């Protein structure tokens, strides 16, 4: 089913037997109807195949340049396949790469990669049927990603667990997580979690968020240490943004139409109008300590308890000061 032209092969077969079933298995393992022009150097044995100086381009504009070692492609045993890749360039997208790669590797690519659009990858990756160890840089249609991750349980990739470091630059997180309020971000986080879809993603996060756009406002200088799960955050967030000086400890659940909050926040300064939280007043500045348990979609339909301590609120009319008070709505 392949047309091959101008190939030079130098091989040493010693006490070897290859039957048609083996060749058919090899053919079925790779994507069908693929055409590629490539040059490479092949050395080693069939079950430890070293492919170096790869320069490949397919008819669907996938480009691979680098060095790959395949282990146990023809093994009769289960779960002993391994691919070790060192890529100078891997240009493709989710669907094209998934069609071209061996089935055992294609099944290890999360569907969330489809949201990245076209991408260009460089770096190293070791893939087995159960585990991926990667140190990669990716330029994608929605931003830059640098990942140093160990991913386990890749045989069920959408529920796989992962641990390592993630750097995003001008990356549209909202596109990836299907959240219209989220936009571009620059961050550096240590992650420890599982899941690659918005519905099942659970991860411990620890690190810095240089900036992130949420609800049309670009927050800057944030640090985070907590757990994120399906648009819920539980932990500590410190903001040194010019319009939000905040130390937040608790829960913010934005996963439903009405949000749920249960937290203690020490607010040194909050410009609620600049943050797009409150538009009724022309000026809206808040300072104080808030202890809150509330459900709301806006300040107008809040239900719950809020306690304020050492609070000031300023609008265009006056400055209002309160030592402490409690609101039950």
């Amino acid at each position: 089913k392949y047309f091959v032209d101008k190939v030079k092969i130098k091989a040493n077969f010693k006490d070897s037997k290859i039957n048609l079933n083996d060749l058919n298995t090899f053919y079925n393992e790779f994507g069908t109807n693929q055409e590629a022009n490539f040059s490479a150097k092949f050395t080693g044995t069939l079950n430890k195949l070293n492919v170096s100086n790869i320069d490949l381009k397919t008819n669907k504009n996938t480009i691979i340049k680098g060095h790959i070692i395949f282990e146990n492609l023809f093994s009769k045993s289960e779960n002993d396949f391994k691919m070790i890749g060192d890529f100078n360039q891997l240009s493709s997208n989710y669907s094209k790469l998934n069609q071209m790669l061996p089935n055992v590797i294609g099944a290890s690519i999360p569907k969330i990669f489809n949201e990245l659009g076209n991408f260009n990858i460089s770096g190293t990756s070791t893939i087995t049927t159960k585990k991926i160890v990667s140190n990669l840089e990716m330029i994608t249609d929605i931003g830059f990603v640098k990942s140093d991750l160990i991913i386990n349980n890749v045989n069920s990739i959408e529920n796989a667990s992962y641990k390592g470091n993630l750097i995003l630059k001008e990356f549209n997180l909202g596109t990836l997580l299907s959240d219209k309020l989220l936009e571009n971000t620059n961050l550096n986080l240590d992650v420890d979690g599982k899941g690659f879809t918005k519905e099942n993603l659970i991860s411990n996060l620890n690190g810095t968020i240089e900036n992130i756009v949420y609800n049309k406002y670009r927050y800057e200088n944030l640090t985070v240490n907590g757990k994120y799960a399906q648009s819920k955050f539980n932990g500590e967030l410190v903001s040194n943004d010019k319009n939000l000086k905040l130390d937040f400890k608790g829960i913010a659940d934005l996963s439903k139409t009405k949000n749920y909050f249960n937290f203690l926040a020490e607010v040194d300064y909050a410009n609620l109008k600049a943050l797009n939280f409150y538009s009724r007043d022309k000026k809206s500045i808040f300072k104080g300590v808030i202890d809150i348990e509330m459900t709301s979609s806006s300040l107008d339909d809040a239900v719950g308890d809020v306690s304020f301590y050492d609070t000031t609120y300023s609008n265009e009319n006056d400055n209002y000061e309160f030592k402490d008070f409690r609101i039950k709505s």
Side-chain angles (χ1 to χ4, degrees):
K1 296 184 179 180
Y2 288 94
F3 177 77
V4 182
D5 186 25
K6 294 182 181 179
V7 173
K8 293 182 180 179
I9 299 176
K10 183 178 180 181
N12 180 18
F13 294 96
K14 189 173 183 180
D15 298 325
S16 299
K17 293 181 180 180
I18 301 176
N19 60 42
L20 292 177
N21 288 331
D22 289 333
L23 292 177
N24 191 53
T25 298
F26 178 78
Y27 170 74
N28 289 329
E29 183 62 29
F30 288 84
T32 59
N33 299 318
Q34 303 292 314
E35 296 179 12
N37 293 318
F38 74 96
S39 62
K41 181 179 179 181
F42 294 80
T43 58
T45 63
L46 289 175
N47 271 330
K48 190 168 185 180
L49 189 61
N50 190 329
V51 188
S52 58
N53 301 324
I54 301 170
D55 189 351
L56 178 149
K57 183 174 182 179
T58 73
N59 60 320
K60 297 183 179 179
N61 293 321
T62 291
I63 297 173
I64 300 177
K65 295 182 179 181
H67 180 186
I68 301 175
I69 298 173
F70 293 100
E71 294 185 9
N72 301 318
L73 269 174
F74 293 97
S75 175
K76 303 297 184 186
S77 302
E78 293 184 359
N79 301 323
D80 61 354
F81 169 82
K82 179 187 285 188
M83 188 201 85
I84 304 168
D86 186 353
F87 302 103
N88 298 321
Q89 179 183 2
L90 197 167
S91 298
S92 191
N93 59 41
Y94 172 78
S95 59
K96 293 175 184 177
L97 193 63
N98 196 43
Q99 291 170 13
M100 192 194 82
L101 289 174
N103 295 328
V104 69
I105 302 175
S108 299
I109 304 175
K111 291 180 181 178
I112 200 169
F113 263 59
N114 195 41
E115 305 299 334
L116 299 177
N118 295 312
F119 51 76
N120 193 337
I121 297 175
S122 62
T124 61
S125 183
T126 298
I127 299 175
T128 69
T129 56
K130 295 182 178 180
K131 185 176 181 179
I132 298 174
V133 179
S134 67
N135 191 334
L136 300 172
E137 293 186 358
M138 293 187 287
I139 299 172
T140 79
D141 283 349
I142 61 173
F144 173 85
V145 182
K146 179 176 172 57
S147 65
D148 186 359
L149 295 173
I150 297 175
I151 304 173
N152 290 298
N153 303 319
V154 297
N155 51 324
S156 179
I157 190 61
E158 302 303 337
N159 298 296
S161 61
Y162 47 83
K163 186 174 184 179
N165 179 259
L166 187 66
I167 295 173
L168 304 179
K169 294 183 179 180
E170 293 303 323
F171 187 89
N172 194 319
L173 199 59
T175 298
L176 191 72
L177 299 177
S178 301
D179 189 334
K180 294 180 180 180
L181 293 177
L182 275 174
E183 297 181 53
N184 281 13
T185 184
N186 291 272
L187 58 77
N188 186 335
L189 296 177
D190 292 327
V191 296
D192 185 356
K194 65 178 182 178
F196 284 95
T197 66
K198 182 181 179 181
E199 291 72 28
N200 69 354
L201 188 152
I202 301 173
S203 183
N204 292 305
L205 310 172
N206 187 1
T208 60
I209 302 173
E210 182 180 339
N211 49 62
I212 186 168
V213 177
Y214 179 79
N215 194 25
K216 304 300 180 181
Y217 180 79
R218 185 181 179 95
Y219 293 84
E220 297 186 350
N221 301 320
L222 310 175
T223 59
V224 60
N225 185 4
K227 178 181 285 188
Y228 176 86
Q230 298 98 36
S231 298
K232 304 174 189 176
F233 176 77
N234 186 357
E236 182 174 8
L237 175 68
V238 177
S239 170
N240 285 306
D241 182 84
K242 65 181 181 180
N243 286 308
L244 182 62
K245 308 294 184 184
L246 167 75
D247 189 339
F248 169 103
K249 296 182 180 71
I251 299 171
D253 183 355
L254 310 178
S255 63
K256 300 180 176 65
T257 303
K258 288 196 173 183
N259 304 321
Y260 173 73
F261 303 98
N262 187 352
F263 63 81
L264 178 68
E266 297 180 10
V267 184
D268 291 333
Y269 178 83
N271 187 333
L272 301 180
K273 186 173 181 63
L275 299 173
N276 298 320
F277 281 144
Y278 192 60
S279 59
R280 180 176 296 173
D281 294 340
K282 294 179 180 180
K283 175 185 175 182
S284 183
I285 307 296
F286 175 86
K287 299 177 183 179
V289 178
I290 309 173
D291 189 354
I292 183 172
E293 184 173 7
M294 175 187 291
T295 301
S296 72
S297 59
S298 71
L299 290 177
D300 295 323
D301 66 354
V303 176
D305 294 309
V306 186
S307 297
F308 295 87
Y309 307 97
D310 298 321
T311 300
T312 63
Y313 178 76
S314 302
N315 63 13
E316 64 273 17
N317 299 315
D318 207 344
N319 297 323
Y320 306 92
E321 297 184 3
F322 307 92
K323 182 63 180 175
D324 59 80
F325 68 94
R326 180 184 178 192
I327 298 174
K328 184 175 180 65
S329 173

